[in-house]
Amino acid sequence: MSEKGWKELEIGGRITEAGNAAKYKTGDWRTFLPDVDREKCINCLQCYLYCPDMAIEAKADGTLGKIDLDYCKGCGICSNICPVKCIEMKKEEK
Ligand code: SF4
Ligand code: SF4
């Protein structure tokens, strides 16, 4: 996919096509990334429910799956919401 210049973007950044968020890899501009301590995780899935980018997977068996770093923007909401504080936000090494 070629990058669009600002003159080609929709005015106001409107969404004109349903589901087009999949084309925008928000992980590109991340500074921090979540690091989950799976030993401490109680699989409550609060992080899955609150992640604004749906970057956290819930497995069919109701346990925590992987975090899709293509879409995780490093906002830290998952870390803040985790009741057992097992998600640490770490500075990303590029
Ligand atoms: S840091 Fe933000 S975007 Fe990334 S997984 Fe956590 S809640 Fe989702
Ligand atoms: S919020 Fe914390 S304890 Fe709950 S599933 Fe996510 S990482 Fe595990």
Side-chain angles (χ1 to χ4, degrees):
M1 184 176 79
S2 63
E3 299 292 326
K4 284 185 176 181
W6 68 270
K7 289 182 179 175
E8 299 165 284
L9 296 174
E10 291 291 331
I11 293 173
R14 287 179 303 158
I15 295 171
T16 56
E17 178 191 349
N20 70 348
K23 293 179 185 172
Y24 300 102
K25 295 197 172 175
T26 43
D28 282 358
W29 41 272
R30 181 181 55 237
T31 305
F32 291 91
L33 81 167
D35 183 28
V36 182
D37 182 343
R38 304 262 170 180
E39 294 291 314
K40 284 194 205 164
C41 174
I42 57 172
N43 293 301
C44 67
L45 299 182
Q46 292 291 306
C47 54
Y48 160 77
L49 291 172
Y50 279 89
C51 175
D53 289 279
M54 297 187 76
I56 300 178
E57 179 188 272
K59 292 186 192 169
D61 66 1
T63 61
L64 180 67
K66 63 179 172 52
I67 296 177
D68 188 341
L69 294 178
D70 277 347
Y71 295 99
C72 166
K73 64 187 172 194
C75 65
I77 289 174
C78 55
S79 177
N80 275 296
I81 205 74
C82 177
V84 294
K85 298 294 171 213
C86 70
I87 305 178
E88 186 184 347
M89 297 304 293
K90 291 190 170 167
K91 184 110 187 203
E92 177 140 30
E93 306 290 331
K94 293 269 181 186

